Amino acid sequence: MLAFTNSTEKQSPTVIGAGCKLTGDIKTDHTVQIHGEVVGNIIAEVVVIGRGGVVIGDVSAPALFLHGTLDGSATVNTANIFNAAKMTGTLSYNTLNITGNTGLECKLTKRKDKGK
């Protein structure tokens, strides 16, 4: 049996693998990695939407790493948007890092508060 944790590490990432579709919300204190599809809202410490990953819903997290597609709004402290990323909705952020020519078709809103 494979495990992501050991005796000193008490947390493991939530991973939605390629080819997997989850309908429902995800709420965790840890990292969520999406390589498949999630239809629902995500609240997590770190959200990674991988290339080929799709989220249809809202994201709330201190850190977002967007390589795939987000069809919804995101409220984050730091948004890291990569080359193949696509997003619609509203991206509310404190810090925005964009790498390459992305497919952002969203409203960008700089947050006035210091974040979550």
Side-chain angles (χ1 to χ4, degrees):
M1 178 174 167
L2 297 175
F4 290 104
T5 59
N6 59 41
S7 61
T8 60
E9 181 185 11
K10 298 296 182 193
Q11 62 185 16
S12 61
T14 299
V15 179
I16 306 300
C20 180
K21 180 177 181 179
L22 174 90
T23 301
D25 296 339
I26 298 172
K27 184 175 181 181
T28 181
D29 295 341
H30 309 303
T31 299
V32 175
Q33 297 177 17
I34 309 298
H35 302 285
E37 181 178 348
V38 172
V39 178
N41 302 319
I42 301 173
I43 299 173
E45 187 65 26
V46 176
V47 176
V48 178
I49 303 173
R51 250 183 255 176
V54 176
V55 173
I56 301 170
D58 297 334
V59 170
S60 179
L64 169 67
F65 295 85
L66 181 60
H67 298 270
T69 301
L70 175 57
D71 184 4
S73 296
T75 302
V76 299
N77 289 342
T78 303
N80 300 285
I81 311 297
F82 295 91
N83 193 36
K86 293 184 171 103
M87 182 176 174
T88 59
T90 300
L91 175 58
S92 179
Y93 63 91
N94 285 324
T95 303
L96 177 61
N97 302 309
I98 299 176
T99 303
N101 185 17
T102 65
L104 294 180
E105 296 181 18
C106 61
K107 178 181 178 185
L108 299 175
T109 304
K110 173 99 168 125
R111 293 176 59 193
K112 293 180 175 55
D113 65 338
K114 290 301 173 196
K116 189 175 174 189

